[in-house]
Amino acid sequence: MTDPTTAETPTETIRDLSKARDVIVCENVSKWYGDFQALDRVSATIKEQEVVVVLGPSGSGKSTWIRCINRLEQHQEGRIVVDDVELTNDLRNIEKVRSEVGMVFQQFNLFPHLTILDNVTLAPIWVRKKPRPEAESQAMALLERVGIPEQAQKYPGQLSGGQQQRVAIARALAMEPRIMLFDEPTSALDPEMIKEVLDVMKTLAESGMTMMVVTHEMGFAKEVADRLIFMEGGQIVEQNSTEEFFSNPTEERTKLFLSQIL
Amino acid sequence: MTGLDSSNVSSTTAGGQPPAATPVSKIAPPVTPKLSIWEWVKENLFSSPFNCGLTVVTTVILLAIFRGLLAFIFNPVRQWNGVATNLRLMMTRAYPEEQYVRIWVCVAVILILTSLSMAIWHAGSALSVSEVGRKLLTTGTILVLFALLAPFSTAATMLWLLVALVVLGFAEFLRRSSRGLEGQTISTLTLLVLTLSGLVASLWVIPYGHHSYIPKRDPRVLAEPGTVALSTKLPWTLMLVIAVVAYFTGRALRDRLPANATRITLIVLWLLAPPALLYLVLRDPAFDMNHVATTDLPIFAAYAIGGTALLSWLTRPSTGELGRIVSAIILLAGFCSFLTPMRMIVRIDMLALAIFALAAPTFSGGPRAQKRYVASWIGLLGVMSWLITAINTPSTVSVPGGFFIGGMSITLMVAVFTLVISFPLGIALALARTSSMPIFRLLATWFIEFVRGIPLITILIFFSIMVPLFLPRGMHLGEVAAVIIGYVLFSSAYLAENVRGGLQSITRGQQEAADAVGMTSAQKTLFIVLPQALRVSIPPLVGHCIGVFKETSLLAIIGVFDILYIGRIVIPGQTEFMGSTKENVLFVSLIYWIFAYQMSKASQRLEQRTGLGER
């Protein structure tokens, strides 16, 4: 297995990230939909191997922001630099960033006309130009890792939501990304299935993957995140280490939010 | 409660075991009570006064129509001999008798391909004995109606009734005897072969028509002992044997060869078959070997070697942007070549190479992918060069008046060529119309709206009469080729709209997922968007195919001898079958219906196979 994420496995719970490299840098990122401002001067830096959870009420711009990072949405002002590549209109930069950044969607977005195995191997074969046998053995290893190797020959429609989302994670990992983005990965799932997906994400975080997660799962945030970012109205209201954020929020709005959900 | 009771009863009586032995938590689904025929009729046809009235009125109307049809068909005035005698004329028009073996070669090739495909794609399904019995019961009932309604003499009616009763009796016997053998099934393919064998065997016994079409005689139809059956019974028997042998060969190969490679080979063969059969087998070009050696082969060699070098450079992942610029320049050169006089084949090859070069980065990869890509270029170039040379060489088959085939063959040929060419064109138009590039979008929209606004006949007339006049000096376009080009344009505009409907059904999430794994837009279109869009558009696309097939009959207007024209004008003009238009047209419509119905059945199977509406 040539998966970089398994090569380095720091399993200690408290990690010293102060010396780590900045992999995502956002400076004053703004975006408008027509007259509506979705992002308002968002600035944040995410370090290598860091797990950042983005919280906030609906419509606060969390998803828009995370989708700007691999250019599914275009930001209009400010700068986004991912792994030393600045996102501009240059297609080559966008392709470079997208092959470094994996993304998991709320609605899974598996390709319904392909088997699970083909879903996972399609991009490695055609984008990474891997020979098929190698891509398939890698895909099977990944499916094993997310716990569903026996479903490889089925179609997405024959799987439960939780299984589909785990396939989506395997599909993103097959590109051997350095960063993973999760856009509300458990919001479309039954409560019973949420756990199986969160467990996969937890092991992924423990293996040292840089992760940015938009979620409403407070338990997950508390347990796994290194840092929390709270957004509202397209702005970052507060960002702090997980400990500080829950025990000692500084902003009034954060306190109100926490009081309502905890 | 009833469901629970019945399930308990069935489990104890059927298994003979106490219920405790089976898991208690599992309760078998309630057994739907089976209706007898009378109960079914009462429930579905006579459930309310209105329903009763409707049933009676519909039955009367249907019976009247059926009776009218039979009265027409079996009227002694009808000259069905005209159809039987002119079968060869309807199928191939005046193809020379001494070269007729070429037609049989084509039939054999198509049958072999069909049989192989049926074997490799696991065609056919298993029918249980009781199902066969039920089908025979329906057939028997129709035969009874047939015997009673047709204007036969009493003796003939009795005979038909006897046949019907035998069928009914056999059906009932099958239904009753099938109780014990639930697992007994019979393949639909076996039934098909049995039916076809029956038909072929009948050729040896019944002399359909009293003579075959003999050209260069006046009058052309002579009462000679050569019946239609006499000249076709041996070839058809051979064809049936070939088909069966090919099927079993395919089955034997199926388990030994890699599935995907075999399927792709077969699809390529299917695509190659129409032009190869038409231009190499049926038309039989008399190649001028001197010309081939001095002109055609050098051009082929130059493009093969140059193309190999270029494509191996382009498919290297390290080539990058420079490759795209070079391919764009070749494309431009290909278009500019039309400004200066040169051989058409040089231009066409250059355009093809440009398209291959532009697509190269999408298919680039390891050394294997590279080799495969170069091989497919040389293969395509070879086929293209051979075909263009063949088309430009005079034919050895001389047919009086017009194109070398006619009748059903030309109907099929025009339909197949139009569909095969207009499919990629239509898909490209649909993609262009939904593209984000304004020039493509605008051009595609204009083209589609323009072509859709013009009647097909206008386009056909324009292409058959006007276009040859506009062509540059030294360039010839046969009338049939011109008409096919016009028909392709017409068909692709409609196809594009059907495909566009499918494209719109692809959710944005699919595109985003493809984007997020770093696919280029060509890969996204090819692997994600198009397969799903085409799957959704199967029903309208098949509708379009059927339409294209049937509307080839408009070709008659510009003087192409298609099957309908022969049935409507040519046969009734023969002295012996004067005024037999109605019979011929009825027969021709039966043939059209058989083909169209098969297409529609194929589409249903395709929908099931691709799991439309399930996944």
Side-chain angles (χ1 to χ4, degrees), chain A residues 92, chain B residues 313-327 361 364:
Chain A
R92 280 166 302 179
Chain B
W313 173 63
L314 282 173
T315 41
R316 223 171 286 156
S318 55
T319 305
E321 206 69 355
L322 188 61
R324 283 172 207 248
I325 296 171
V326 170
S327 350
S364 70

Side-chain angles (χ1 to χ4, degrees), chain A residues 67 70 72-73 95 98 101 103 105 109-113 122-123 126-127 129 155 171 175, chain B residues 361-365 508-510 512-513 515-519 523 527-528 531-532 535 615:
Chain A
R67 288 157 60 87
N70 67 351
L72 290 181
E73 304 278 356
E95 276 171 25
R98 281 179 180 164
V101 178
M103 180 143 190
F105 299 88
N109 292 350
L110 293 181
F111 306 131
H113 61 300
L122 188 69
W126 292 101
V127 181
K129 312 289 184 195
Y155 285 90
R171 178 177 71 180
M175 288 293 287
Chain B
T362 309
F363 296 97
S364 70
R508 202 164 152 232
Q510 289 290 312
E512 286 177 352
D515 280 338
V517 286
M519 287 191 195
Q523 289 168 339
F527 301 131
I528 308 301
Q532 297 187 54
R535 200 175 80 181
R615 273 180 226 141

Side-chain angles (χ1 to χ4, degrees), chain B residues 269-281:
Chain B
L269 284 178
W270 267 117
L271 286 177
L272 282 181
L277 290 180
L278 199 71
Y279 285 106
L280 298 180
V281 179

Side-chain angles (χ1 to χ4, degrees), chain A residues 14-230:
Chain A
I14 301 162
R15 285 176 287 176
D16 181 19
L17 295 164
S18 58
K19 288 192 204 103
R21 212 161 57 88
D22 296 344
V23 284
I24 302 176
V25 179
C26 298
E27 284 171 12
N28 291 320
V29 175
S30 297
K31 177 173 177 59
W32 287 264
Y33 291 113
D35 285 339
F36 173 73
Q37 186 163 17
L39 292 179
D40 184 5
R41 282 160 293 158
V42 172
S43 295
T45 308
I46 287 151
K47 290 183 182 303
E48 195 154 23
Q49 301 205 0
E50 195 176 19
V51 178
V52 175
V53 168
V54 184
L55 296 172
S58 300
S60 59
K62 317 179 293 282
S63 287
T64 309
W65 181 32
I66 204 171
R67 288 157 60 87
C68 280
I69 289 168
N70 67 351
R71 199 70 173 186
L72 290 181
E73 304 278 356
Q74 268 185 32
H75 60 282
Q76 286 148 330
E77 275 176 18
R79 239 160 67 89
I80 299 179
V81 181
V82 180
D83 215 13
D84 299 329
V85 180
E86 178 166 3
L87 280 171
T88 57
N89 275 327
D90 191 335
L91 273 175
R92 280 166 302 179
N93 282 354
I94 296 174
E95 276 171 25
K96 204 182 286 173
V97 165
R98 281 179 180 164
S99 58
E100 295 292 330
V101 178
M103 180 143 190
V104 176
F105 299 88
Q106 181 179 359
Q107 297 297 341
F108 331 134
N109 292 350
L110 293 181
F111 306 131
H113 61 300
L114 298 176
T115 61
I116 299 304
L117 190 63
D118 287 338
N119 261 282
V120 181
T121 55
L122 188 69
I125 289 174
W126 292 101
V127 181
R128 284 263 189 258
K129 312 289 184 195
K130 269 192 189 174
R132 184 177 287 271
E134 193 187 312
E136 281 183 356
S137 63
Q138 180 212 21
M140 284 314 292
L142 282 171
L143 288 177
E144 201 111 10
R145 199 165 137 194
V146 299
I148 39 175
E150 71 283 356
Q151 313 283 4
Q153 296 307 328
K154 289 194 184 164
Y155 285 90
Q158 297 165 307
L159 267 56
S160 74
Q163 289 173 325
Q164 288 195 44
Q165 193 60 295
R166 287 187 280 162
V167 173
I169 295 174
R171 178 177 71 180
L173 289 177
M175 288 293 287
E176 296 165 5
R178 303 165 59 90
I179 304 160
M180 285 284 283
L181 307 176
F182 292 85
D183 187 5
E184 306 205 21
T186 54
S187 301
L189 294 176
D190 289 347
E192 275 179 272
M193 295 171 182
I194 290 177
K195 189 177 170 305
E196 62 188 54
V197 172
L198 290 182
D199 284 345
V200 169
M201 289 168 64
K202 247 176 247 173
T203 48
L204 193 62
E206 281 160 11
S207 73
M209 176 68 80
T210 313
M211 286 164 59
M212 204 171 153
V213 186
V214 173
T215 188
H216 299 292
E217 294 297 322
M218 286 306 140
F220 176 81
K222 253 185 196 163
E223 198 179 334
V224 182
D226 296 308
R227 189 147 56 97
L228 289 171
I229 295 179
F230 179 69

